[in-house]
Amino acid sequence: MTRISKQTKFKAIQEYFLGVDSKRSIARRYGLDSTAFLVLIAAYETHGPDVLFNPPKVTTEFRIALASWAIKNNASYTEIAAKFGYTGTAQMRAWKEIYSKLGPNGLLSIQKGRKPEMPNKKPKSVKKLTEQENRLSQLEDEVLRLKIENEALKLLASI
């Protein structure tokens, strides 16, 4: 799939608002998916050019707010885009699905990027931890888990 530049998307949006042609015709002319173009127009109407050139920062809180609002309001992608200024429909779908199944805690564990695929490689040097270092590592992991859980509960309470 070809990646379309922000400038091309901006040009397509401008043509639409100038009334040059229909949404579908403009999307076809610029090689845009018609649904993605509808979502982009909805976001642009509410948030202006920031949608393209300064999109919202995707944080855990943003994901939770977007997914919970979308599910609560049974919102379409265009409605979500208009409210939040975010146009990634694939991510929206995934976040809603995770939120439906696992609640806000499910969205806390999402990490950006792909998982490393090196099942056959073994670590070069396996360092033996002393009992004290091992215990310290376990406690640090538990503190981190509790902090994340605490933040999730605070977010849930604020919603």
Side-chain angles (χ1 to χ4, degrees):
M1 181 175 224
T2 307
R3 187 169 172 97
I4 298 163
S5 71
K6 293 175 183 179
Q7 288 76 14
T8 303
K9 291 177 185 177
F10 186 64
K11 199 186 285 185
I13 290 170
Q14 286 178 321
E15 276 191 29
Y16 169 73
F17 283 112
L18 290 173
V20 172
D21 216 341
S22 70
K23 293 175 189 176
R24 185 163 287 173
S25 298
I26 293 170
R28 200 174 312 123
R29 185 177 320 124
Y30 285 96
L32 298 165
D33 177 67
S34 57
T35 304
F37 189 54
L38 293 174
V39 169
L40 190 58
I41 288 171
Y44 187 87
E45 284 178 319
T46 308
H47 299 278
D50 279 349
V51 168
L52 289 170
F53 301 109
N54 190 18
K57 185 169 172 35
V58 177
T59 62
T60 302
E61 293 80 17
F62 179 80
R63 288 184 195 113
I64 292 170
L66 186 145
S68 66
W69 184 86
I71 291 169
K72 190 183 308 178
N73 294 295
N74 196 24
S76 67
Y77 295 131
T78 54
E79 292 169 329
I80 297 168
K83 171 118 173 107
F84 292 94
Y86 186 73
T87 59
T89 55
Q91 290 86 2
M92 288 183 215
R93 181 177 45 250
W95 298 340
K96 283 171 54 176
E97 190 175 308
I98 291 169
Y99 191 90
S100 296
K101 291 179 182 175
L102 305 173
N105 288 340
L107 293 173
L108 291 175
S109 62
I110 293 177
Q111 294 180 347
K112 191 173 182 179
R114 291 185 179 183
K115 294 177 184 173
E117 293 185 34
M118 296 186 297
N120 297 336
K121 288 192 175 185
K122 294 181 181 177
K124 290 182 180 176
S125 64
V126 178
K127 182 182 171 187
K128 292 283 184 180
L129 298 177
T130 65
E131 191 175 314
Q132 192 174 17
E133 289 173 326
N134 195 13
R135 180 69 180 142
L136 180 62
S137 176
Q138 288 175 343
L139 290 172
E140 287 172 347
D141 289 345
E142 186 176 354
V143 166
L144 179 62
R145 185 186 57 78
L146 290 172
K147 282 182 180 180
I148 291 171
E149 201 173 285
N150 191 20
E151 287 299 314
L153 290 173
K154 285 180 185 177
L155 283 170
L156 190 59
S158 69
I159 294 173

